[in-house]
Amino acid sequence: MGENFFERVYILVRQIPYGRVTSYGAIAKALGTARSARMVGWALNASHNLEDVPAHRVVNRKGLLSGKHHFEGANLMQQLLESEGIEVVNNQIVDFENHFWKPDF
């Protein structure tokens, strides 16, 4: 595992365009690793002190804000997404397919 994997996750997450989202699994797949989407989640959970890593743009494969409890405040992840023009209803991104960004590493 190590910081090399985490840093590769951060490099990729920094590329997610404003107003777009991707999934933990899409990041794992783009990194071409057998490591799971859960490992990507661990990397993002460890990124809280890195202000240049937009972890709020990474959701689960169904568009659910599954990592929202890792953000300060009950609705910070949703507020960050909504500030980028992404509508969230019941912790799920509305029109997920049109906001989805496919990473390419």
Side-chain angles (χ1 to χ4, degrees):
M1 181 168 75
E3 52 98 21
N4 194 358
F5 175 74
F6 280 27
E7 189 55 41
R8 289 175 64 209
V9 169
Y10 303 153
I11 290 168
L12 197 55
V13 170
R14 288 179 185 116
Q15 296 175 28
I16 304 170
Y18 181 93
R20 304 291 296 278
V21 293
T22 196
S23 68
Y24 301 100
I27 291 171
K29 185 176 181 180
L31 292 175
T33 179
R35 290 183 167 84
S36 70
R38 187 176 307 265
M39 298 272 298
V40 172
W42 292 342
L44 292 175
N45 191 33
S47 74
H48 290 304
N49 61 337
L50 304 174
E51 292 183 17
D52 64 334
V53 177
H56 65 281
R57 295 181 187 152
V58 184
V59 297
N60 82 2
R61 63 188 173 88
K62 296 180 180 178
L64 288 168
L65 311 190
S66 55
K68 77 175 204 152
H69 59 280
H70 294 291
F71 288 81
E72 288 184 28
N75 292 314
L76 181 58
M77 184 178 187
Q78 180 172 336
Q79 290 168 355
L80 290 168
L81 290 167
E82 288 175 342
S83 74
E84 295 185 17
I86 297 174
E87 185 180 357
V88 178
V89 175
N90 294 326
N91 294 317
Q92 187 162 17
I93 293 173
V94 174
D95 206 14
F96 178 57
E97 300 77 25
N98 287 328
H99 291 291
F100 188 80
W101 175 77
K102 185 177 183 220
D104 185 25
F105 196 63

